[in-house]
C-alpha cells in the first residue's frame, strides 16, 4: 500500500475519533457543569465544544462539501496534527474529570 494512501486512511480514522471523542466529552462536560456549576468544568467544556466544531468543520469540508483539500505531501503532517488534537482532548479529560489522588 502506498504511504500516501495509508496517510489518507489514517486521516479519515482520526477525524472520526476526533468527532466521537469531542462529542462524548462535550456531553460529559456539559452534564458535569450542569450538575456542579463549577467554572473550571465550564471552561473545559467550552474547549470540548470548540474541538467538536473543528471536527465537524473538517468532516463536512473534506467529505461533504469539498471545502478542504489536503495535499498529498502534507498528509502525514495533517495526521500528526489530528493525533495531537486527540491527545489534547484526552489529556483535558483526564486533568479535569479523573478522580482525585489518581483514582
Amino acid at each position: 500500500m502506498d504511504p500516501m494512501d495509508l496517510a489518507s486512511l489514517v486521516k479519515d480514522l482520526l477525524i472520526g475519533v476526533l468527532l466521537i471523542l469531542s462529542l462524548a466529552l462535550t456531553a460529559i462536560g456539559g452534564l458535569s457543569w450542569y450538575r456542579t456549576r463549577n467554572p473550571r468544568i465550564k471552561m473545559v467544556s467550552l474547549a470540548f465544544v470548540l474541538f467538536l466544531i473543528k471536527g465537524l468543520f473538517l468532516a463536512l469540508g473534506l467529505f461533504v462539501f469539498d471545502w478542504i483539500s489536503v495535499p498529498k505531501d502534507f498528509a502525514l503532517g495533517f495526521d500528526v496534527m489530528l493525533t495531537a488534537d486527540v491527545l489534547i482532548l484526552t489529556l483535558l479529560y483526564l486533568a479535569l474529570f479523573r478522580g482525585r489522588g489518581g483514582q
Side-chain angles (χ1 to χ4, degrees):
M1 177 178 263
D2 181 23
M4 295 303 165
D5 291 337
L6 181 61
S8 180
L9 289 173
V10 170
K11 170 193 56 114
D12 296 348
L13 177 69
L14 286 170
I15 288 174
V17 169
L18 178 68
L19 275 170
I20 291 168
L21 187 60
S22 61
L23 178 63
L25 294 176
T26 296
I28 291 168
L31 290 171
S32 296
W33 176 77
Y34 181 75
R35 214 172 30 113
T36 64
R37 301 290 189 210
N38 183 324
R40 284 181 43 212
I41 293 175
K42 181 180 180 181
M43 291 301 294
V44 174
S45 297
L46 290 174
F48 293 151
V49 168
L50 291 176
F51 274 102
L52 178 59
I53 292 169
K54 177 183 181 178
L56 287 170
F57 179 77
L58 282 173
L60 290 172
L62 285 167
F63 306 123
V64 178
F65 297 113
D66 208 20
W67 293 330
I68 301 170
S69 176
V70 179
K72 286 194 179 241
D73 56 342
F74 185 63
L76 181 61
F78 193 77
D79 289 350
V80 169
M81 290 191 311
L82 286 172
T83 301
D85 284 347
V86 169
L87 290 174
I88 290 166
L89 280 170
T90 303
L91 290 173
L92 282 170
Y93 172 77
L94 291 174
L96 190 62
F97 296 112
R98 186 178 63 149
R100 299 238 187 259
Q103 298 173 353

